[in-house]
Amino acid sequence: MHSPAVPADVAHLPDSARELVKILVTGPFGVGKTTLIDSVSEIRPLHTEEHLTEASVQVDDLAGVRDKTTTTVAIDFGRVSLGDSVVLYLFGTPGQERFRPLWDDIAYGALGALVLVDTRRIDASFDVLGLVEESGVPYAVALNAFPDAKRYSEEQLRRALDLEPDTPLVTCDARDTNASVDALLALVQHLIDRMAPEAT
């Protein structure tokens, strides 16, 4: 899905924009990162998607995402404004281990990360969560609500994902603009809460 042409008054940042924030949108292969950026971006998103090939099928785990035909090979990029002064630049990362060398470059300068999780294959999220934690980038977790996914309690999910008590855990539908913005707002609030003690 690609966004339609964006009016010029939306494509350019307003003079009131004061806080420009780099945010990672990350998670395992096929979890919905590209879809989420498409759903919220106020500019035409940049995608670096390629069709899966016979060679990639040998190295990419397609369990649970058999219908997927493309993959991000560098980044997805989008932009969303929160109010008049805060602008989030969204950088979607590839979800496969073979693209891990890109991680440091993409993550450089990021203020936070939104980690998407598919509850149908929770174990696929462990490597990405480990990578985010190693980088020291604060993060929130958003459960992308696939229709055929089992429902778990928050306690079960926090235990399965080994989340700290203060790590935000929200549910969203990456196809839905409002739900995706709410997930990003949960991350932004988490970042504000973390910075508040430093400011005192």
Side-chain angles (χ1 to χ4, degrees), residues 103-181:
W103 172 264
D104 288 340
D105 290 335
I106 298 172
Y108 181 78
L111 195 61
L114 183 67
V115 182
L116 291 182
V117 170
D118 180 352
T119 57
R120 300 171 302 176
R121 41 193 192 101
I122 288 177
D123 57 341
S125 303
F126 296 158
D127 286 345
V128 174
L129 282 167
L131 196 55
V132 174
E133 289 175 354
E134 286 172 23
S135 74
V137 175
Y139 67 95
V141 173
L143 308 172
N144 192 9
F146 289 90
D148 58 340
K150 282 186 176 180
R151 299 292 182 250
Y152 299 96
S153 70
E154 180 172 338
E155 181 182 352
Q156 289 174 310
L157 289 165
R158 284 188 172 279
R159 188 165 57 245
L161 296 168
D162 195 25
L163 299 182
E164 294 292 332
D166 65 338
T167 300
L169 177 63
V170 299
T171 300
C172 78
D173 181 337
R175 300 166 300 180
D176 181 85
T177 300
N178 291 333
S180 296
V181 168

Side-chain angles (χ1 to χ4, degrees), residues 21-26 37 75-78 89-93 106-107 110:
V21 182
K22 181 178 182 180
I23 297 293
L24 302 180
V25 178
T26 190
I37 290 174
I75 62 166
D76 292 318
F77 176 78
Y89 289 109
L90 306 177
F91 288 77
T93 69
I106 298 172

Side-chain angles (χ1 to χ4, degrees), residues 6-195:
V6 178
D9 60 336
V10 175
H12 298 285
L13 285 177
D15 293 338
S16 59
R18 293 288 179 264
E19 301 293 332
L20 309 180
V21 182
K22 181 178 182 180
I23 297 293
L24 302 180
V25 178
T26 190
F29 176 58
V31 77
K33 302 178 294 291
T34 299
T35 301
L36 184 141
I37 290 174
D38 270 345
S39 75
V40 300
S41 185
E42 62 199 18
I43 59 172
R44 184 185 299 277
L46 167 69
H47 297 302
T48 56
E49 284 196 310
E50 294 293 340
H51 286 282
L52 291 169
T53 64
E54 290 297 323
S56 67
V57 168
Q58 303 304 314
V59 294
D60 293 335
D61 183 4
L62 297 180
V65 288
R66 289 287 173 191
D67 295 334
K68 189 162 174 60
T69 59
T70 61
T71 184
T72 299
V73 295
I75 62 166
D76 292 318
F77 176 78
R79 189 188 83 199
V80 59
S81 297
L82 303 178
D84 294 327
S85 61
V86 178
V87 178
L88 305 184
Y89 289 109
L90 306 177
F91 288 77
T93 69
Q96 300 99 302
E97 177 64 26
R98 64 191 170 105
F99 294 115
R100 184 166 181 163
L102 290 172
W103 172 264
D104 288 340
D105 290 335
I106 298 172
Y108 181 78
L111 195 61
L114 183 67
V115 182
L116 291 182
V117 170
D118 180 352
T119 57
R120 300 171 302 176
R121 41 193 192 101
I122 288 177
D123 57 341
S125 303
F126 296 158
D127 286 345
V128 174
L129 282 167
L131 196 55
V132 174
E133 289 175 354
E134 286 172 23
S135 74
V137 175
Y139 67 95
V141 173
L143 308 172
N144 192 9
F146 289 90
D148 58 340
K150 282 186 176 180
R151 299 292 182 250
Y152 299 96
S153 70
E154 180 172 338
E155 181 182 352
Q156 289 174 310
L157 289 165
R158 284 188 172 279
R159 188 165 57 245
L161 296 168
D162 195 25
L163 299 182
E164 294 292 332
D166 65 338
T167 300
L169 177 63
V170 299
T171 300
C172 78
D173 181 337
R175 300 166 300 180
D176 181 85
T177 300
N178 291 333
S180 296
V181 168
D182 285 347
L184 289 166
L185 286 170
L187 170 62
V188 170
Q189 186 60 56
H190 179 54
L191 299 176
I192 292 170
D193 292 344
R194 286 174 56 92
M195 289 187 289

